[in-house]
PDB file of all heavy atoms in Angstrom:
ATOM      1  N   ASP K  19       4.167  18.511  -2.079  1.00 97.00           N
ATOM      2  CA  ASP K  19       4.898  17.613  -1.191  1.00 97.00           C
ATOM      3  C   ASP K  19       6.386  17.910  -1.324  1.00 97.00           C
ATOM      4  O   ASP K  19       6.881  18.165  -2.432  1.00 97.00           O
ATOM      5  CB  ASP K  19       4.590  16.164  -1.612  1.00 97.00           C
ATOM      6  CG  ASP K  19       5.400  15.148  -0.883  1.00 97.00           C
ATOM      7  OD1 ASP K  19       5.112  14.899   0.306  1.00 97.00           O
ATOM      8  OD2 ASP K  19       6.352  14.603  -1.487  1.00 97.00           O
ATOM      9  N   LEU K  24      11.333  18.451  -4.536  1.00 98.00           N
ATOM     10  CA  LEU K  24      12.759  18.208  -4.772  1.00 98.00           C
ATOM     11  C   LEU K  24      12.972  17.555  -6.140  1.00 98.00           C
ATOM     12  O   LEU K  24      13.892  17.931  -6.880  1.00 98.00           O
ATOM     13  CB  LEU K  24      13.337  17.327  -3.665  1.00 98.00           C
ATOM     14  CG  LEU K  24      14.808  16.928  -3.834  1.00 98.00           C
ATOM     15  CD1 LEU K  24      15.704  18.168  -3.827  1.00 98.00           C
ATOM     16  CD2 LEU K  24      15.217  15.977  -2.725  1.00 98.00           C
ATOM     17  N   PRO K  40      25.281  25.482 -25.370  1.00 93.00           N
ATOM     18  CA  PRO K  40      25.389  25.686 -26.812  1.00 93.00           C
ATOM     19  C   PRO K  40      25.187  24.348 -27.528  1.00 93.00           C
ATOM     20  O   PRO K  40      25.612  23.299 -27.021  1.00 93.00           O
ATOM     21  CB  PRO K  40      26.818  26.200 -26.989  1.00 93.00           C
ATOM     22  CG  PRO K  40      27.189  26.771 -25.655  1.00 93.00           C
ATOM     23  CD  PRO K  40      26.464  25.921 -24.650  1.00 93.00           C
ATOM     24  N   ARG K  44      25.941  20.607 -26.233  1.00 89.00           N
ATOM     25  CA  ARG K  44      24.780  19.822 -25.785  1.00 89.00           C
ATOM     26  C   ARG K  44      24.654  18.532 -26.589  1.00 89.00           C
ATOM     27  O   ARG K  44      24.288  17.494 -26.069  1.00 89.00           O
ATOM     28  CB  ARG K  44      23.511  20.674 -25.935  1.00 89.00           C
ATOM     29  CG  ARG K  44      22.248  19.939 -25.522  1.00 89.00           C
ATOM     30  CD  ARG K  44      20.982  20.761 -25.764  1.00 89.00           C
ATOM     31  NE  ARG K  44      20.741  20.974 -27.176  1.00 89.00           N
ATOM     32  CZ  ARG K  44      20.579  22.152 -27.752  1.00 89.00           C
ATOM     33  NH1 ARG K  44      20.626  23.252 -27.055  1.00 89.00           N
ATOM     34  NH2 ARG K  44      20.375  22.242 -29.038  1.00 89.00           N
ATOM     35  N   VAL K  58      16.421   6.106 -22.001  1.00 98.00           N
ATOM     36  CA  VAL K  58      16.546   6.879 -23.245  1.00 98.00           C
ATOM     37  C   VAL K  58      17.587   6.213 -24.140  1.00 98.00           C
ATOM     38  O   VAL K  58      18.701   5.925 -23.705  1.00 98.00           O
ATOM     39  CB  VAL K  58      16.890   8.361 -22.937  1.00 98.00           C
ATOM     40  CG1 VAL K  58      18.151   8.496 -22.137  1.00 98.00           C
ATOM     41  CG2 VAL K  58      16.924   9.192 -24.180  1.00 98.00           C
ATOM     42  N   VAL K  62      18.427   9.434 -29.341  1.00 98.00           N
ATOM     43  CA  VAL K  62      17.298  10.361 -29.156  1.00 98.00           C
ATOM     44  C   VAL K  62      17.813  11.789 -29.371  1.00 98.00           C
ATOM     45  O   VAL K  62      18.914  12.130 -28.948  1.00 98.00           O
ATOM     46  CB  VAL K  62      16.697  10.204 -27.743  1.00 98.00           C
ATOM     47  CG1 VAL K  62      15.771  11.356 -27.396  1.00 98.00           C
ATOM     48  CG2 VAL K  62      15.974   8.873 -27.634  1.00 98.00           C
ATOM     49  N   GLY K  87      10.361  23.391 -28.265  1.00 98.00           N
ATOM     50  CA  GLY K  87       9.205  23.852 -27.504  1.00 98.00           C
ATOM     51  C   GLY K  87       8.315  22.775 -26.943  1.00 98.00           C
ATOM     52  O   GLY K  87       7.209  23.079 -26.480  1.00 98.00           O
ATOM     53  N   PRO K 106       6.955  20.811 -33.349  1.00 98.00           N
ATOM     54  CA  PRO K 106       7.211  21.831 -32.330  1.00 98.00           C
ATOM     55  C   PRO K 106       6.015  22.047 -31.406  1.00 98.00           C
ATOM     56  O   PRO K 106       4.865  21.897 -31.816  1.00 98.00           O
ATOM     57  CB  PRO K 106       7.499  23.087 -33.154  1.00 98.00           C
ATOM     58  CG  PRO K 106       6.954  22.823 -34.511  1.00 98.00           C
ATOM     59  CD  PRO K 106       6.964  21.346 -34.701  1.00 98.00           C
ATOM     60  N   PRO K 131      -0.923   7.578 -17.103  1.00 98.00           N
ATOM     61  CA  PRO K 131       0.191   7.334 -18.031  1.00 98.00           C
ATOM     62  C   PRO K 131      -0.170   7.672 -19.476  1.00 98.00           C
ATOM     63  O   PRO K 131      -1.350   7.711 -19.847  1.00 98.00           O
ATOM     64  CB  PRO K 131       0.443   5.837 -17.867  1.00 98.00           C
ATOM     65  CG  PRO K 131      -0.876   5.286 -17.460  1.00 98.00           C
ATOM     66  CD  PRO K 131      -1.531   6.348 -16.619  1.00 98.00           C
ATOM     67  N   VAL K 150      -3.944   8.235 -22.249  1.00 98.00           N
ATOM     68  CA  VAL K 150      -4.074   7.965 -23.681  1.00 98.00           C
ATOM     69  C   VAL K 150      -2.969   7.016 -24.148  1.00 98.00           C
ATOM     70  O   VAL K 150      -1.820   7.125 -23.735  1.00 98.00           O
ATOM     71  CB  VAL K 150      -4.017   9.290 -24.485  1.00 98.00           C
ATOM     72  CG1 VAL K 150      -3.810   9.036 -25.966  1.00 98.00           C
ATOM     73  CG2 VAL K 150      -5.278  10.102 -24.250  1.00 98.00           C
ATOM     74  N   GLY K 153      -1.328   4.165 -30.894  1.00 98.00           N
ATOM     75  CA  GLY K 153      -0.777   2.952 -31.490  1.00 98.00           C
ATOM     76  C   GLY K 153       0.308   3.209 -32.515  1.00 98.00           C
ATOM     77  O   GLY K 153       0.465   4.327 -33.037  1.00 98.00           O
ATOM     78  N   VAL K 164      -5.747  15.244 -28.067  1.00 98.00           N
ATOM     79  CA  VAL K 164      -6.015  13.806 -27.984  1.00 98.00           C
ATOM     80  C   VAL K 164      -6.498  13.471 -26.580  1.00 98.00           C
ATOM     81  O   VAL K 164      -5.733  13.538 -25.616  1.00 98.00           O
ATOM     82  CB  VAL K 164      -4.756  12.992 -28.351  1.00 98.00           C
ATOM     83  CG1 VAL K 164      -5.058  11.501 -28.342  1.00 98.00           C
ATOM     84  CG2 VAL K 164      -4.224  13.419 -29.711  1.00 98.00           C
ATOM     85  N   VAL K 175      -7.361  14.198 -36.048  1.00 98.00           N
ATOM     86  CA  VAL K 175      -7.212  15.655 -36.130  1.00 98.00           C
ATOM     87  C   VAL K 175      -8.298  16.302 -35.289  1.00 98.00           C
ATOM     88  O   VAL K 175      -9.304  15.671 -34.954  1.00 98.00           O
ATOM     89  CB  VAL K 175      -7.323  16.155 -37.585  1.00 98.00           C
ATOM     90  CG1 VAL K 175      -6.219  15.566 -38.469  1.00 98.00           C
ATOM     91  CG2 VAL K 175      -8.690  15.851 -38.168  1.00 98.00           C
ATOM     92  N   VAL K 185      -5.320   9.865 -46.808  1.00 63.00           N
ATOM     93  CA  VAL K 185      -4.912   9.287 -48.108  1.00 63.00           C
ATOM     94  C   VAL K 185      -3.454   8.907 -48.041  1.00 63.00           C
ATOM     95  O   VAL K 185      -2.628   9.533 -47.508  1.00 63.00           O
ATOM     96  CB  VAL K 185      -5.132  10.300 -49.249  1.00 63.00           C
ATOM     97  CG1 VAL K 185      -4.650   9.734 -50.560  1.00 63.00           C
ATOM     98  CG2 VAL K 185      -6.587  10.668 -49.321  1.00 63.00           C
TER      99      VAL K 185
END
Side-chain angles (χ1 to χ4, degrees):
D19 173 75
L24 177 62
R44 179 184 67 235
V58 58
V62 166
V150 166
V164 183
V175 298
V185 177

